Amino acid sequence: QVQLVESGGGLVQAGGSLRLSCAASGSIFSINAMGWYRQAPGKQRELVAVITSGGSTDYADSVKGRFTISRDNAKNTVYLQMNSLKPEDTAVYYCYAHVTTMLRMPIDYWGQGTQVTVSS
């Protein structure tokens, strides 16, 4: 079993910054992609940013230039630095990891979600 534990959400004013962290632990052989999704009330979950084990990244157009994803492979941890936050960034942010387990099974795991609220 693999667990993803997120931290760093909260309430911030527009223009402010937050940093999210997500640490994976458990029966992990390797982690390929890690990333962040978000879901606002009444909307579908959407990709925010993703990073591969090799460091390649991809971002939603709405966050390019404002958000930066990074990871520490030794710690199985992914980060999301969010700058110049806007009220429309308000959502529950979910960590994601595509894991190959110790049994060599590829499985997608999700964190429990962390609330980010940006006030205008």
Side-chain angles (χ1 to χ4, degrees), residues 45-90:
R45 189 174 296 189
E46 63 175 358
L47 173 69
V48 177
V50 63
I51 184 168
T52 68
S53 57
S56 297
T57 59
D58 195 18
Y59 296 90
D61 288 343
S62 59
V63 306
K64 284 181 180 177
R66 301 188 297 121
F67 291 10
T68 302
I69 190 170
S70 60
R71 65 188 280 179
D72 184 332
N73 290 331
K75 296 181 179 180
N76 289 333
T77 299
V78 64
Y79 307 95
L80 185 68
Q81 178 65 44
M82 304 185 293
N83 298 328
S84 301
L85 282 160
K86 303 176 181 180
E88 51 264 44
D89 295 317
T90 295

Side-chain angles (χ1 to χ4, degrees), residues 82-104:
M82 304 185 293
N83 298 328
S84 301
L85 282 160
K86 303 176 181 180
E88 51 264 44
D89 295 317
T90 295
V92 177
Y93 284 69
Y94 295 92
C95 175
Y96 155 84
H98 182 69
V99 175
T100 299
T101 70
M102 295 300 288
L103 296 179
R104 303 303 190 266

Side-chain angles (χ1 to χ4, degrees), residues 14-34:
S17 298
L18 284 174
R19 188 188 193 216
L20 306 183
S21 300
C22 172
S25 63
S27 181
I28 298 171
F29 175 73
S30 65
I31 302 178
N32 186 4
M34 298 187 79

